[in-house]
Amino acid sequence: MSAPQSYGSIFSGGIWSNNQMLVALLGLCPLLATTTSATNGLGMGLATTAVIVCSNGTVSLVRNLVRPEIRIPVFVLVIASFVTLVELIMQAFFYDLYQVLGLFISLIVVNCMIIGRAEAFASKNRVDRALLDGLAVGLGATLVLTTLGGLREFVGQGTLFHQADLLLGDWAKAISLSLGEDFQGALIAILPPGAFIGLGLMIALKNLIDQYAKRRAAARAVPAVRTDPSAA
C-alpha cells in the first residue's frame, strides 16, 4: 500500500502539477464560456471553490455510510445542495454578477472536476485531507479562470478587472485598468475561438515551465565530474 500524499503534495498538485483544467482538461464548459473578463472568471472560480470544498468535506464525512452502488447519485445530490446554496447567496449579495454567470453557476452540479475529486479523493480520505484537496483544486481552477479571463479581456477590450466592484465592492474600482476608449482590441479574443486559443497557450506555457523545471532538477542531480590532474 502506497504512503498517503503529504499536505504539501496535495496542495501543489491541485494548484499546479495536477491542475484539473490544464492537465485533466475538466470543467471546460465554464472555463471557455465565462472567461470573457477577469471579474467573471474570478467570480466563477470562487463559486466553484466554495462548492468543491464543501462537497469534498461532506463526501469524506459520509463515505463510510454510503453503499458503493449509490455513491455517484449521493455525490451529485451533495454537490447540487451546495450549488443551490451558492446560487442563493449570489442572488442575495452579488445579483449583477449572478445575472452574467447564473446559468453556469447551476451547471457546476455536473462539473466533472467536482464529481471526479469527490469520487477519486474525498471518498477515500479523511476530512482534513479532503478539504485541503478541494481548496487546492478550487484555487487552481480560480487561477486558470481569472488568468484566461484577464487575457481575453485585455486583448479584446483593453481593460482588466472591469466592473470588479460587482464582486469585490466599491474599493475594487481602484484595481480596474483601461487602455482608453480608443483602444481597438482583437474581437476574436472575446469570442469562443479566443477561449480555445488562450487555453491552448496556457497549456503550452505550463508544459514549457514543467519541462524546464525537470531539466534543471536533472542537471542538479548529476554529480560534478572531478578531473584528476595526475591522469593528464
Side-chain angles (χ1 to χ4, degrees):
M1 184 176 179
S2 61
Q5 288 181 284
S6 66
Y7 291 115
S9 177
I10 293 173
F11 190 78
S12 63
I15 294 288
W16 182 259
S17 60
N18 192 33
N19 188 292
Q20 295 294 286
M21 288 186 167
L22 296 182
V23 177
L25 297 181
L26 297 178
L28 292 187
C29 177
L31 175 64
L32 299 175
T34 64
T35 53
T36 54
S37 72
T39 301
N40 290 352
L42 179 60
M44 189 68 190
L46 293 177
T48 302
T49 301
V51 171
I52 194 171
V53 169
C54 295
S55 62
N56 263 21
T58 304
V59 166
S60 180
L61 284 172
V62 304
R63 70 185 189 279
N64 295 324
L65 305 176
V66 178
R67 292 181 60 85
E69 297 84 356
I70 61 170
R71 68 187 188 282
I72 299 300
V74 171
F75 295 166
V76 173
L77 182 60
V78 168
I79 295 169
S81 300
F82 287 115
V83 169
T84 301
L85 181 60
V86 168
E87 201 169 9
L88 291 173
I89 291 174
M90 290 191 69
Q91 288 184 41
F93 298 103
F94 310 103
Y95 184 71
D96 291 333
L97 184 63
Y98 173 77
Q99 287 184 309
V100 178
L101 301 177
L103 172 64
F104 298 99
I105 296 296
S106 301
L107 289 176
I108 292 176
V109 175
V110 291
N111 191 320
C112 295
M113 177 178 67
I114 300 177
I115 298 175
R117 296 318 294 171
E119 166 68 11
F121 194 93
S123 64
K124 299 177 177 64
N125 287 273
R126 301 193 313 264
V127 176
D128 57 335
R129 300 171 66 82
L131 289 173
L132 180 61
D133 177 75
L135 179 63
V137 171
L139 291 178
T142 302
L143 180 64
V144 174
L145 286 161
T146 306
T147 302
L148 181 57
L151 176 66
R152 295 177 64 192
E153 178 186 3
F154 189 76
V155 175
Q157 302 177 14
T159 60
L160 192 60
F161 284 105
H162 179 60
Q163 293 184 325
D165 54 295
L166 298 181
L167 176 64
L168 303 175
D170 291 338
W171 70 268
K173 293 179 179 178
I175 67 174
S176 179
L177 302 176
S178 176
L179 296 181
E181 296 180 358
D182 296 332
F183 177 79
Q184 298 294 326
L187 180 61
I188 192 174
I190 57 176
L191 294 177
F196 284 99
I197 294 171
L199 176 61
L201 291 174
M202 290 180 65
I203 294 173
L205 179 61
K206 180 186 184 304
N207 290 339
L208 287 174
I209 294 174
D210 287 344
Q211 291 173 10
Y212 176 75
K214 288 180 180 178
R215 287 197 297 268
R216 287 287 301 272
R220 288 196 297 267
V222 176
V225 179
R226 295 183 178 179
T227 58
D228 186 358
S230 62

